Amino acid sequence: MVNSCRKGKRGELFARDYLRSLGFEDAHRTQQHDGSGESDVSCPETLPNVHIEVKFGYPRKNFSLGSSLWESAIGQCHADCDGKEWVILWKEKHCSIWKMTFMLFEGLVTVVGDAAIANNLMRLQEGDSHAHFDPQAG
């Protein structure tokens, strides 16, 4: 349990730094003490309408659609997002590339790469992702 908490904290700090590198300077890790429903990482000024969950350091097989990790992450997003758009920002074990998964219409979409992640975060913030989604955005 302790190692899992450390890994989660480390992943959230890496995600915070990653979001800052994309220009979301207000990104910070929220303190999760009681399962309060907050995002793992928050950007209160630039992305106030986006709930961000972070999954970090799991083997690739754990990120398969339908896996218990995905089911749990999506359930957590639905329970905690409080009407906001939600995303799962994730990075596999031994991988340097961040990915982001979010809901588009009734399906899940995953984008890869800095420009695609940054642009789709802004589109979600603006409530514009459904009309203008471009997986190659950048």
Side-chain angles (χ1 to χ4, degrees):
M1 177 71 170
V2 172
N3 285 337
S4 176
C5 290
R6 268 193 227 137
K7 181 175 77 170
K9 178 180 178 179
R10 192 173 76 240
E12 291 164 7
L13 291 172
F14 284 146
R16 175 206 62 194
D17 293 345
Y18 175 67
L19 289 168
R20 286 180 179 174
S21 77
L22 296 179
F24 301 101
E25 295 296 325
D26 60 325
H28 69 275
R29 177 180 180 258
T30 59
Q31 295 294 324
Q32 301 277 324
H33 295 294
D34 58 2
S36 62
E38 288 189 67
S39 294
D40 291 335
V41 175
S42 178
C43 301
E45 294 173 25
T46 56
L47 300 171
N49 298 319
V50 179
H51 178 90
I52 304 169
E53 290 295 324
V54 176
K55 296 298 173 195
F56 175 83
Y58 293 92
R60 173 178 223 108
K61 67 180 179 169
N62 291 58
F63 289 105
S64 300
L65 194 58
S67 72
S68 61
L69 175 67
W70 271 124
E71 296 300 320
S72 172
I74 291 167
Q76 185 177 1
C77 286
H78 282 288
D80 296 347
C81 72
D82 196 28
K84 296 178 180 180
E85 297 286 350
W86 59 262
V87 303
I88 302 169
L89 188 62
W90 55 283
K91 191 165 91 145
E92 301 164 36
K93 187 175 189 173
H94 305 299
C95 182
S96 61
I97 300 170
W98 283 95
K99 298 171 180 96
M100 184 178 82
T101 300
F102 58 99
M103 192 68 111
L104 178 65
F105 302 111
E106 295 299 317
L108 293 174
V109 173
T110 298
V111 295
V112 179
D114 300 347
I117 289 172
N119 287 334
N120 282 292
L121 279 169
M122 291 308 297
R123 288 180 173 141
L124 285 167
Q125 170 57 36
E126 296 163 2
D128 193 27
S129 65
H130 297 209
H132 297 86
F133 172 72
D134 178 2
Q136 303 297 320

